[in-house]
Amino acid sequence: MKVLFVCLGNICRSPAAEGVFRMMSGATVDSAGTAGWHVGKPPYGPMQAAAAQRGIALGDLRARQFGRGDFEAFDLIIAMDANNLEDIEAQRPRGNETSVRLFTDYAPDLGASEVPDPYYTRDFDGALDLIDACAKGLTEALNAQSRDKLD
Ligand code: 4NP
């Protein structure tokens, strides 16, 4: 299972989701931004610091821009907010049926409809708490899916 996390800049939310979910699931994971502003840069310092507090190293990641080819390269594309989802869907190649979901769909009990952007809110820990809960839900959903396939 190849999973791609997508946010706006690919320096806060999606690299954090990539790092958290990689540790949790062992799945093949990547992240990208719908905007190209930070291409080639490592995750934002305050996000790296907040993740490091939890034992998650993001320093080797580099930002890249989301593109149409990602629909073919990944099995599941996860957006951090509704704007990301819309920007992703606008690039879907004709006939492609790759699933694109909101990350918060995997933690319905929290009642959140997006991962708020800590680049603006400055709440890096809060974003990581939400990312952690969504990553747990996604891990469970994928495990349930692979169990169903075995049955
Ligand atoms: P991200 O946060 O989408 O979670 O990576 C942002 C980072 C940078 C900018 C916007 C959002 N920016 O405007 O530079």
Side-chain angles (χ1 to χ4, degrees):
M1 171 60 82
K2 292 188 206 156
V3 182
L4 179 67
F5 294 99
V6 179
C7 63
L8 178 59
N10 194 210
I11 57 168
C12 290
R13 294 166 294 171
S14 64
E18 175 183 352
V20 168
F21 188 65
R22 178 176 287 123
M23 288 261 278
M24 219 177 253
S25 73
T28 303
V29 193
D30 194 10
S31 66
T34 56
W37 307 315
H38 301 285
V39 168
K41 292 204 197 127
Y44 191 48
M47 180 51 98
Q48 280 199 53
Q53 288 278 328
R54 301 172 185 225
I56 296 153
L58 303 181
D60 288 344
L61 304 182
R62 294 293 177 268
R64 74 169 179 89
Q65 190 165 16
F66 179 80
R68 288 166 61 85
D70 288 317
F71 281 96
E72 309 294 342
F74 292 90
D75 304 305
L76 177 61
I77 299 172
I78 307 269
M80 297 297 130
D81 65 33
N83 285 328
N84 307 148
L85 190 86
E86 194 179 316
D87 292 341
I88 293 164
E89 286 293 356
Q91 299 183 61
R92 183 188 288 277
R94 195 182 301 265
N96 176 278
E97 293 185 351
T98 304
S99 289
V100 180
R101 294 278 144 74
L102 279 174
F103 204 16
T104 47
D105 288 351
Y106 296 95
D109 294 351
L110 298 181
S113 59
E114 63 172 21
V115 180
D117 195 338
Y119 193 75
Y120 302 114
T121 67
R122 312 310 293 176
D123 185 5
F124 296 92
D125 254 326
L128 279 171
D129 285 342
L130 193 48
I131 285 166
D132 194 65
C134 297
K136 285 193 174 106
L138 175 59
T139 303
E140 280 162 24
L142 294 182
N143 285 343
Q145 214 174 64
S146 54
R147 272 197 302 276
D148 286 349
K149 276 192 191 136
L150 292 173
D151 288 344

